[in-house]
Amino acid sequence: MDYEPQHKYRKNQVNGTLYVTTCLYLDPHRVAELEQGADELFLTHIHKRTTADHIMQVAIDLGPVYTLRFKVDLSGCSRGYAYLQYVDRMHKTELIETLEHRFRRENMRIHVRESRNRRDLILNNVHHLTPLQVHHELRLVSHYLKLTVYEYEPKRYIYVIKYRNNDEAAMAHHKLRNKAGRFGLDASIDWLDKGQMLRDLNLEHSCCVQLSRDSDHLQASANSCRCFCI
């Protein structure tokens, strides 16, 4: 890298994401928080010729970085956005203002805001599979934390899939869109905040009954509140 950080970082790329991650040993509790998206910042308006090194050179002036997830296209150029997390907790408003000022001082008009850390996907219009079959198909594609199933009509279900963090949800979203045919010709996969049907049906994103994901005898009928989770 073309900067001299106070401690080392490792760099690796998975598909369209370039990861720059600290090599520091951190408190496991803090790592768990960060892995779930705590204190994540969203960087936008990144010029295509700006590199992860350019971002890091500015970012580490404010403290050790936990990870930078820098989005790139097939040619390796920036796709215009990235996600950034610091090791230490900092006052979010002050951090955003200071970081934007530092970027502009380096002639980078990068916008910084708090990440929404979206972790939930919604699967809809699956008509020929039972909830148990959907559960098994999802396990073949990616690991998820929880699958919540809403029965909005007899034997008609909406599936809300929760992942550990935004990064895992984004990768799952990409994979599921490519494999949507597993769930039927009409199946659709989207981010939960775009899932207008949940709001239209007045269904809350919560659940009363927990079913084991390892069970071979999952019940395909919902309880009195019309929802269960796997």
Side-chain angles (χ1 to χ4, degrees), residues 146-150 160 162 192 198 202-209 223 225-229:
K146 185 172 75 170
L147 174 64
T148 305
V149 187
Y150 299 96
V160 176
K162 177 178 286 294
L192 178 60
L198 281 184
N202 294 318
L203 297 177
E204 297 181 358
H205 184 33
S206 60
C207 188
C208 296
V209 174
N223 53 49
C225 71
R226 302 192 306 171
C227 71
F228 58 91
C229 67

Side-chain angles (χ1 to χ4, degrees), residues 13-227:
Q13 183 171 337
V14 179
N15 297 324
T17 303
L18 178 63
Y19 296 85
V20 184
T21 308
T22 182
C23 293
L24 283 176
Y25 174 80
L26 303 179
D27 175 71
H29 178 70
R30 180 58 176 163
V31 171
E33 290 180 336
L34 291 165
E35 286 298 309
Q36 292 179 24
D39 304 314
E40 187 174 75
L41 300 177
F42 183 46
L43 313 182
T44 60
H45 294 75
I46 301 173
H47 192 277
K48 67 178 299 182
R49 291 190 179 89
T50 298
T51 67
D53 287 352
H54 293 146
I55 301 291
M56 287 292 292
Q57 189 171 18
V58 175
I60 62 174
D61 281 345
L62 302 183
V65 168
Y66 174 67
T67 188
L68 171 69
R69 304 200 319 271
F70 190 79
K71 300 296 181 175
V72 295
D73 60 22
L74 293 176
S75 66
C77 294
S78 170
R79 290 173 57 194
Y81 67 100
Y83 298 88
L84 176 69
Q85 287 174 289
Y86 282 93
V87 169
D88 302 317
R89 295 183 183 87
M90 291 183 261
H91 188 274
K92 192 67 65 68
T93 301
E94 182 178 335
L95 174 61
I96 289 173
E97 291 177 355
T98 303
L99 193 55
E100 276 202 355
H101 175 73
R102 296 290 182 91
F103 282 133
R104 285 174 182 157
R105 197 170 67 184
E106 298 297 326
N107 296 317
M108 291 187 282
R109 298 185 178 277
I110 296 174
H111 294 186
V112 184
R113 61 182 172 84
E114 186 174 357
S115 172
R116 296 165 66 189
N117 190 29
R118 297 185 298 176
R119 294 185 287 168
D120 300 279
L121 301 179
I122 180 170
L123 176 63
N124 191 26
N125 296 325
V126 181
H127 303 313
H128 71 291
L129 299 178
T130 67
L132 175 59
Q133 291 171 322
V134 170
H135 159 65
H136 286 312
E137 288 293 336
L138 288 172
R139 286 202 302 185
L140 295 175
V141 176
S142 62
H143 172 76
Y144 63 83
L145 290 180
K146 185 172 75 170
L147 174 64
T148 305
V149 187
Y150 299 96
E151 185 178 37
Y152 61 94
E153 292 179 1
K155 296 185 179 181
R156 295 282 187 174
Y157 305 97
I158 293 176
Y159 301 87
V160 176
I161 317 157
K162 177 178 286 294
Y163 293 89
R164 185 177 58 161
N165 53 39
N166 175 263
D167 207 32
E168 291 187 0
M171 287 190 285
H173 181 252
H174 176 72
K175 291 179 181 178
L176 288 170
R177 284 176 65 89
N178 289 337
K179 298 180 181 296
R182 289 175 179 246
F183 303 96
L185 295 178
D186 298 325
S188 63
I189 184 75
D190 215 328
W191 294 96
L192 178 60
D193 60 356
K194 294 182 180 179
Q196 185 63 43
M197 180 171 285
L198 281 184
R199 294 188 288 273
D200 291 344
L201 295 174
N202 294 318
L203 297 177
E204 297 181 358
H205 184 33
S206 60
C207 188
C208 296
V209 174
Q210 174 77 49
L211 301 176
S212 170
R213 65 172 61 199
D214 298 320
S215 172
D216 291 327
H217 305 288
L218 297 179
Q219 297 298 313
S221 60
N223 53 49
S224 58
C225 71
R226 302 192 306 171
C227 71

